[in-house]
Amino acid sequence: MYKIAITIALFLTTMLQAQTTYESGMTKAFTLWEDGKMAEASNVFERIASAEKENWLPSYYAAQVLILDGFSILKEKEALDAQLKKAQVFVDAAASRSKDNAEIMVLQALLHTVYVASDGATYGMTLSGKINALYTKANQLTPGNPRVMLSKAEWDMGSARFFGQDTQPFCAQIEKSLQLFANFKPETAFDPNWGEDRAKQLTAACKAE
Protein backbone atom coordinates (compact mmCIF):
# COMPACT_ATOMS: atom_id res chain seq x y z
CA MET A 1 0.00 0.00 0.00
CA TYR A 2 2.89 2.35 0.90
CA LYS A 3 4.53 1.74 -2.50
CA ILE A 4 1.23 2.32 -4.26
CA ALA A 5 0.75 5.59 -2.39
CA ILE A 6 4.26 6.75 -3.40
CA THR A 7 3.59 5.78 -7.01
CA ILE A 8 0.31 7.72 -7.05
CA ALA A 9 1.97 10.73 -5.41
CA LEU A 10 4.78 10.73 -7.96
CA PHE A 11 2.27 10.42 -10.79
CA LEU A 12 0.21 13.34 -9.51
CA THR A 13 3.33 15.44 -8.98
CA THR A 14 4.44 14.77 -12.54
CA MET A 15 0.99 15.66 -13.87
CA LEU A 16 0.90 18.90 -11.91
CA GLN A 17 4.39 19.83 -13.10
CA ALA A 18 3.43 19.12 -16.70
CA GLN A 19 0.29 21.21 -16.32
CA THR A 20 2.28 24.04 -14.79
CA THR A 21 4.84 23.88 -17.60
CA TYR A 22 2.07 23.98 -20.21
CA GLU A 23 0.23 26.84 -18.56
CA SER A 24 3.36 28.91 -17.95
CA GLY A 25 4.51 28.30 -21.53
CA MET A 26 1.15 29.36 -22.97
CA THR A 27 1.09 32.44 -20.75
CA LYS A 28 4.59 33.38 -21.90
CA ALA A 29 3.59 32.99 -25.55
CA PHE A 30 0.49 35.18 -25.11
CA THR A 31 2.60 37.82 -23.36
CA LEU A 32 5.07 37.88 -26.24
CA TRP A 33 2.17 38.18 -28.67
CA GLU A 34 0.67 41.05 -26.70
CA ASP A 35 4.06 42.78 -26.77
CA GLY A 36 4.11 42.55 -30.57
CA LYS A 37 6.81 39.88 -30.72
CA MET A 38 5.02 37.75 -33.29
CA ALA A 39 7.83 35.43 -34.38
CA GLU A 40 8.89 34.76 -30.80
CA ALA A 41 5.32 34.04 -29.71
CA SER A 42 4.76 31.64 -32.60
CA ASN A 43 8.03 29.86 -31.80
CA VAL A 44 7.00 29.35 -28.17
CA PHE A 45 3.61 27.99 -29.24
CA GLU A 46 5.44 25.69 -31.66
CA ARG A 47 7.68 24.34 -28.88
CA ILE A 48 4.66 23.71 -26.68
CA ALA A 49 2.95 21.90 -29.56
CA SER A 50 5.98 19.60 -29.87
CA ALA A 51 5.57 18.58 -26.23
CA GLU A 52 1.76 18.47 -26.19
CA LYS A 53 1.26 15.78 -28.82
CA GLU A 54 -2.53 15.50 -28.44
CA ASN A 55 -3.31 19.17 -27.82
CA TRP A 56 -4.47 21.21 -30.82
CA LEU A 57 -4.35 24.60 -29.12
CA PRO A 58 -0.59 25.38 -29.30
CA SER A 59 -0.52 24.67 -33.05
CA TYR A 60 -3.70 26.71 -33.48
CA TYR A 61 -2.14 29.74 -31.81
CA ALA A 62 1.23 29.29 -33.56
CA ALA A 63 -0.72 29.62 -36.80
CA GLN A 64 -3.02 32.41 -35.64
CA VAL A 65 -0.13 34.70 -34.69
CA LEU A 66 1.36 34.36 -38.16
CA ILE A 67 -1.98 34.66 -39.99
CA LEU A 68 -3.12 37.82 -38.25
CA ASP A 69 0.33 39.36 -38.62
CA GLY A 70 0.05 38.57 -42.33
CA PHE A 71 -2.52 41.35 -42.72
CA SER A 72 0.23 43.84 -41.81
CA ILE A 73 2.63 42.68 -44.54
CA LEU A 74 0.26 42.21 -47.47
CA LYS A 75 2.57 44.03 -49.89
CA GLU A 76 5.68 42.04 -48.92
CA LYS A 77 4.97 39.14 -51.26
CA GLU A 78 7.90 36.83 -50.50
CA ALA A 79 7.80 37.35 -46.73
CA LEU A 80 4.02 36.93 -46.67
CA ASP A 81 4.13 33.74 -48.73
CA ALA A 82 6.77 32.21 -46.46
CA GLN A 83 4.83 33.22 -43.35
CA LEU A 84 1.54 31.81 -44.59
CA LYS A 85 3.14 28.55 -45.69
CA LYS A 86 4.55 28.15 -42.19
CA ALA A 87 1.15 29.00 -40.72
CA GLN A 88 -0.48 26.36 -42.93
CA VAL A 89 1.78 23.71 -41.43
CA PHE A 90 0.51 24.65 -37.97
CA VAL A 91 -3.13 24.71 -39.12
CA ASP A 92 -2.70 21.24 -40.57
CA ALA A 93 -1.11 20.04 -37.32
CA ALA A 94 -4.00 21.43 -35.28
CA ALA A 95 -6.55 19.85 -37.62
CA SER A 96 -4.83 16.48 -37.35
CA ARG A 97 -5.23 16.62 -33.58
CA SER A 98 -8.85 17.82 -33.56
CA LYS A 99 -11.13 16.67 -36.36
CA ASP A 100 -14.15 18.70 -37.48
CA ASN A 101 -13.18 21.64 -35.28
CA ALA A 102 -15.02 24.84 -36.22
CA GLU A 103 -12.37 27.05 -34.61
CA ILE A 104 -9.68 25.55 -36.86
CA MET A 105 -11.94 25.96 -39.90
CA VAL A 106 -12.31 29.67 -39.11
CA LEU A 107 -8.54 29.92 -38.84
CA GLN A 108 -8.08 28.18 -42.21
CA ALA A 109 -10.59 30.57 -43.75
CA LEU A 110 -8.67 33.54 -42.31
CA LEU A 111 -5.44 32.20 -43.80
CA HIS A 112 -7.10 32.03 -47.23
CA THR A 113 -8.47 35.53 -46.66
CA VAL A 114 -4.97 36.93 -46.18
CA TYR A 115 -4.02 35.52 -49.57
CA VAL A 116 -7.10 37.10 -51.17
CA ALA A 117 -6.42 40.45 -49.46
CA SER A 118 -2.84 40.40 -50.75
CA ASP A 119 -3.77 39.68 -54.36
CA GLY A 120 -7.46 39.42 -55.17
CA ALA A 121 -6.87 38.94 -58.89
CA THR A 122 -4.71 35.89 -58.29
CA TYR A 123 -6.44 34.26 -55.32
CA GLY A 124 -10.01 35.55 -55.35
CA MET A 125 -11.41 33.05 -57.83
CA THR A 126 -9.54 30.03 -56.42
CA LEU A 127 -10.04 30.65 -52.70
CA SER A 128 -13.40 32.41 -52.33
CA GLY A 129 -15.34 29.16 -52.73
CA LYS A 130 -13.11 27.41 -50.20
CA ILE A 131 -13.60 30.21 -47.69
CA ASN A 132 -17.39 30.11 -48.06
CA ALA A 133 -17.39 26.31 -47.73
CA LEU A 134 -15.30 26.47 -44.54
CA TYR A 135 -17.67 28.96 -42.93
CA THR A 136 -20.71 26.95 -43.99
CA LYS A 137 -19.33 23.77 -42.43
CA ALA A 138 -18.14 25.59 -39.30
CA ASN A 139 -21.62 27.05 -38.84
CA GLN A 140 -23.19 23.60 -39.22
CA LEU A 141 -20.86 22.23 -36.54
CA THR A 142 -21.26 25.09 -34.06
CA PRO A 143 -24.14 27.41 -35.02
CA GLY A 144 -23.76 29.33 -31.76
CA ASN A 145 -20.07 30.09 -32.21
CA PRO A 146 -19.61 33.89 -32.31
CA ARG A 147 -16.30 33.71 -34.20
CA VAL A 148 -17.96 31.80 -37.04
CA MET A 149 -20.71 34.42 -37.41
CA LEU A 150 -18.32 37.36 -37.05
CA SER A 151 -15.66 36.06 -39.42
CA LYS A 152 -18.13 35.03 -42.10
CA ALA A 153 -19.94 38.37 -41.88
CA GLU A 154 -16.67 40.29 -42.16
CA TRP A 155 -15.65 38.18 -45.16
CA ASP A 156 -19.05 38.77 -46.79
CA MET A 157 -18.79 42.49 -46.02
CA GLY A 158 -15.41 42.69 -47.74
CA SER A 159 -16.78 40.88 -50.77
CA ALA A 160 -19.80 43.22 -50.89
CA ARG A 161 -17.55 46.28 -50.79
CA PHE A 162 -15.40 44.86 -53.60
CA PHE A 163 -18.45 44.41 -55.83
CA GLY A 164 -20.09 47.70 -54.79
CA GLN A 165 -22.96 46.04 -52.93
CA ASP A 166 -24.81 47.00 -49.76
CA THR A 167 -22.90 46.00 -46.60
CA GLN A 168 -25.70 46.65 -44.09
CA PRO A 169 -26.99 43.04 -44.00
CA PHE A 170 -23.54 41.97 -42.84
CA CYS A 171 -23.38 44.80 -40.31
CA ALA A 172 -26.51 43.27 -38.80
CA GLN A 173 -24.82 39.87 -38.60
CA ILE A 174 -21.77 41.35 -36.90
CA GLU A 175 -23.97 43.12 -34.36
CA LYS A 176 -25.85 39.86 -33.81
CA SER A 177 -22.55 38.10 -33.08
CA LEU A 178 -22.15 40.36 -30.03
CA GLN A 179 -25.10 38.56 -28.45
CA LEU A 180 -23.32 35.26 -29.00
CA PHE A 181 -20.08 36.64 -27.53
CA ALA A 182 -21.98 37.74 -24.42
CA ASN A 183 -23.11 34.17 -23.77
CA PHE A 184 -20.06 32.27 -25.02
CA LYS A 185 -18.00 30.30 -22.50
CA PRO A 186 -14.72 28.69 -23.65
CA GLU A 187 -14.17 25.10 -22.51
CA THR A 188 -10.75 25.87 -20.98
CA ALA A 189 -8.75 28.96 -20.08
CA PHE A 190 -6.80 28.67 -23.33
CA ASP A 191 -9.61 27.80 -25.74
CA PRO A 192 -10.29 30.46 -28.40
CA ASN A 193 -12.14 33.41 -26.91
CA TRP A 194 -11.22 36.20 -29.30
CA GLY A 195 -13.35 38.37 -31.57
CA GLU A 196 -15.64 40.42 -29.33
CA ASP A 197 -13.50 43.57 -29.53
CA ARG A 198 -13.36 43.23 -33.32
CA ALA A 199 -17.15 42.83 -33.47
CA LYS A 200 -17.61 45.98 -31.40
CA GLN A 201 -15.17 47.89 -33.59
CA LEU A 202 -16.93 46.84 -36.79
CA THR A 203 -20.37 47.55 -35.34
CA ALA A 204 -19.29 51.08 -34.41
CA ALA A 205 -17.88 51.57 -37.91
CA CYS A 206 -21.15 50.36 -39.44
CA LYS A 207 -23.17 52.82 -37.39
CA ALA A 208 -20.83 55.66 -38.36
CA GLU A 209 -21.34 55.05 -42.09
Side-chain angles (χ1 to χ4, degrees):
M1 179 65 76
Y2 177 71
K3 289 183 178 180
I4 293 175
I6 292 176
T7 301
I8 293 172
L10 289 173
F11 174 75
L12 291 174
T13 300
T14 301
M15 290 295 290
L16 288 172
Q17 287 175 341
Q19 185 182 36
T20 301
T21 299
Y22 168 68
E23 290 178 349
S24 63
M26 292 290 280
T27 300
K28 177 183 177 181
F30 281 117
T31 300
L32 288 168
W33 190 359
E34 188 175 354
D35 291 341
K37 298 176 181 178
M38 308 302 183
E40 294 94 326
S42 185
N43 287 338
V44 173
F45 284 128
E46 182 179 7
R47 289 198 294 272
I48 299 170
S50 296
E52 297 282 328
K53 301 295 186 183
E54 304 300 320
N55 191 340
W56 62 277
L57 288 168
S59 294
Y60 171 92
Y61 287 116
Q64 189 184 30
V65 172
L66 299 175
I67 291 167
L68 296 183
D69 185 54
F71 285 106
S72 69
I73 57 170
L74 292 175
K75 301 302 180 183
E76 301 173 32
K77 184 174 176 57
E78 290 186 6
L80 178 65
D81 188 54
Q83 187 160 308
L84 293 182
K85 284 180 177 176
K86 185 175 183 180
Q88 186 64 64
V89 172
F90 294 135
V91 173
D92 292 341
S96 71
R97 298 176 181 185
S98 183
K99 305 293 185 183
D100 291 329
N101 186 317
E103 300 286 0
I104 299 172
M105 291 174 189
V106 169
L107 196 62
Q108 179 69 76
L110 287 175
L111 191 154
H112 290 332
T113 301
V114 180
Y115 274 117
V116 174
S118 71
D119 189 347
T122 299
Y123 298 110
M125 290 294 290
T126 58
L127 294 179
S128 292
K130 293 181 179 180
I131 292 169
N132 288 325
L134 283 163
Y135 285 135
T136 297
K137 186 171 183 181
N139 185 59
Q140 290 171 346
L141 290 169
T142 57
N145 187 315
R147 275 166 297 287
V148 175
M149 181 176 289
L150 168 65
S151 300
K152 184 181 187 304
E154 187 169 7
W155 162 253
D156 289 338
M157 179 183 287
S159 298
R161 283 204 180 99
F162 181 80
F163 290 108
Q165 299 171 347
D166 183 16
T167 61
Q168 284 306 307
F170 311 116
C171 286
Q173 285 295 299
I174 291 170
E175 188 167 5
K176 184 179 178 182
S177 76
L178 287 171
Q179 300 171 18
L180 297 181
F181 278 113
N183 297 312
F184 181 82
K185 296 289 186 278
E187 290 185 14
T188 72
F190 294 117
D191 270 62
N193 196 26
W194 56 269
E196 186 172 11
D197 288 343
R198 179 63 174 167
K200 289 178 179 177
Q201 179 186 23
L202 291 171
T203 298
C206 282
K207 291 180 178 178
E209 290 182 351

